[in-house]
Amino acid sequence: MGAESNDSFDFQSVFLTGIPGLEALHGWLSIPFLTMYIVATVGNSLIMAAVKADSALHEPMYLFLSMLAITEVGVSVSTLPTVMGILWFDFRQINFDGCLAQMFFIHTFSCMESGVLLAMSYDRFVAIYNPLRYTAILTLPRIISMGLSITLKSVLFMAPLPILLRQLPYCHTNVLSHSYCLHSDLIQLPCADTKLNSILGLSIVLASFGLDSLLIVVSYILILYTVLGIASGEGRRKALNTCVSHICAVLVYYVPMIGVSVMHRAAKHASPLAHTLMSSIYLIVPPVLNPIIYSVKTKPIQQGIATLFSCKKELL
């Protein structure tokens, strides 16, 4: 399956890998994977529809939640074709340009998700620090501008990655270690110096995910400082309770990411199955859990979804 030419133009396709050691169970494994994709897509779509349909949810917090739902649907849709293609039909081969496109969309939507989580932490800080001017500060035009800025930043950060990879010569092997295309995987394939690609990739990680996570921590330090200044215990409890869903979303997103990074650098000799499962958890699980977290912990979202279904029943 190796590419025999050193010319990148002749490097037509790559081969993806299923779940190592469990190839015979791919048919059965497709059931939980498909279930997670359905839950992620339907759950996030319901949140978007509820926010759009219910005027009571046209508040900054829920508009940012809709942005988060969009990014999570994007991540799920980006990985679904190749993952299910392997599990159902053992389709492992993918066109090289198609692989680069998938890599771009996976990383772009992941970067957008990180940016939206940062915006949501700023939203929580404003809501607690200055509740009387909350909607005056986070106006609809400002929220739209923040969303567009996050999208533009993510696209500009990730666009050079496939362009630079496309220019390199390839030889030896063209087999990736996952069921989808990631930059950390593709960068192992060229038979030329990839130092520039590695430096650029690390710079993007630090400038996006690293900076976002640092600013989220700073936001919560400021939130905690503000909450401790509230006189009543009940007031402190209510203020912190508004942050619970977002804290869960941040943990669900960043803990698997840190796990993937640690395994990639400190546990290179771990079984391929462990690496595959950790990467799958990072990409597939957050879009599944976040709609559930927000639906369970946020009563206005519950009411919005209930209203959405009641309207549909009336139409029928």
Side-chain angles (χ1 to χ4, degrees):
M1 292 191 297
E4 297 179 0
S5 171
N6 287 347
D7 188 353
S8 61
F9 180 79
D10 292 329
F11 193 76
Q12 296 295 329
S13 60
V14 294
F15 291 84
L16 302 172
T17 301
I19 302 177
L22 300 177
E23 289 82 0
L25 299 176
H26 276 182
W28 289 106
L29 290 172
S30 68
I31 298 174
F33 272 88
L34 180 61
T35 301
M36 287 191 288
Y37 278 123
I38 292 173
V39 170
T41 305
V42 173
N44 284 293
S45 297
L46 281 175
I47 286 177
M48 288 186 282
V51 172
K52 181 181 178 181
D54 191 345
S55 59
L57 297 178
H58 293 175
E59 295 182 8
M61 175 182 176
Y62 305 114
L63 295 176
F64 284 123
L65 179 57
S66 290
M67 293 183 194
L68 183 66
I70 291 170
T71 64
E72 291 181 332
V73 170
V75 171
S76 296
V77 171
S78 297
T79 60
L80 184 148
T82 52
V83 171
M84 298 312 300
I86 289 173
L87 294 178
W88 276 342
F89 309 110
D90 200 33
F91 286 166
R92 300 176 185 273
Q93 188 172 358
I94 180 173
N95 178 273
F96 184 56
D97 289 330
C99 188
L100 292 178
Q102 184 186 48
M103 178 202 75
F104 169 76
F105 283 112
I106 289 174
H107 290 310
T108 298
F109 280 116
S110 294
C111 186
M112 288 171 60
E113 186 173 355
S114 176
V116 172
L117 287 171
L118 172 59
M120 293 174 79
S121 70
Y122 174 69
D123 164 78
R124 290 299 83 210
F125 169 69
V126 173
I128 292 172
Y129 181 75
N130 200 344
L132 296 179
R133 297 194 65 241
Y134 174 53
T135 54
I137 294 172
L138 289 173
T139 61
L140 181 59
R142 188 165 292 172
I143 292 170
I144 292 173
S145 297
M146 291 172 69
L148 292 175
S149 299
I150 291 168
T151 302
L152 182 61
K153 180 201 76 170
S154 303
V155 171
L156 291 178
F157 274 7
M158 299 305 168
L161 299 182
I163 295 172
L164 288 177
L165 282 172
R166 194 68 181 85
Q167 308 306 314
L168 294 172
Y170 291 84
C171 53
H172 308 306
T173 182
N174 57 351
V175 180
L176 300 178
S177 57
H178 296 291
S179 302
Y180 32 77
C181 302
L182 300 176
H183 184 258
S184 58
D185 218 0
L186 281 164
I187 204 173
Q188 307 298 322
L189 301 184
C191 52
D193 185 11
T194 59
K195 187 177 295 183
L196 175 61
N197 302 69
S198 298
I199 292 173
L200 178 62
L202 179 60
S203 300
I204 290 172
V205 168
L206 293 176
S208 55
F209 304 103
L211 183 60
D212 289 347
S213 59
L214 176 62
L215 292 176
I216 288 172
V217 171
V218 171
S219 295
Y220 271 98
I221 291 173
L222 294 174
I223 287 171
L224 187 60
Y225 179 79
T226 304
V227 168
L228 291 176
I230 298 174
S232 69
E234 181 65 17
R236 289 195 294 269
R237 188 190 65 80
K238 286 183 177 180
L240 287 175
N241 193 51
T242 65
C243 300
V244 171
S245 296
H246 180 254
I247 292 172
C248 291
V250 169
L251 293 175
V252 164
Y253 179 79
Y254 279 103
V255 170
M257 176 188 284
I258 294 169
V260 169
S261 180
V262 169
M263 287 198 68
H264 182 68
R265 288 164 177 79
K268 291 183 178 179
H269 301 295
S271 70
L273 177 61
H275 285 279
T276 299
L277 290 178
M278 185 59 72
S279 295
S280 297
I281 289 171
Y282 163 57
L283 288 174
I284 299 174
V285 172
V288 174
L289 291 183
N290 282 336
I292 297 173
I293 290 169
Y294 275 94
S295 297
V296 170
K297 295 294 296 180
T298 312
K299 286 186 178 180
I301 291 293
Q302 295 175 8
Q303 294 168 355
I305 293 174
T307 301
L308 192 66
F309 278 107
S310 64
C311 289
K312 288 185 177 180
K313 286 181 180 179
E314 289 175 7
L315 290 173
L316 292 174

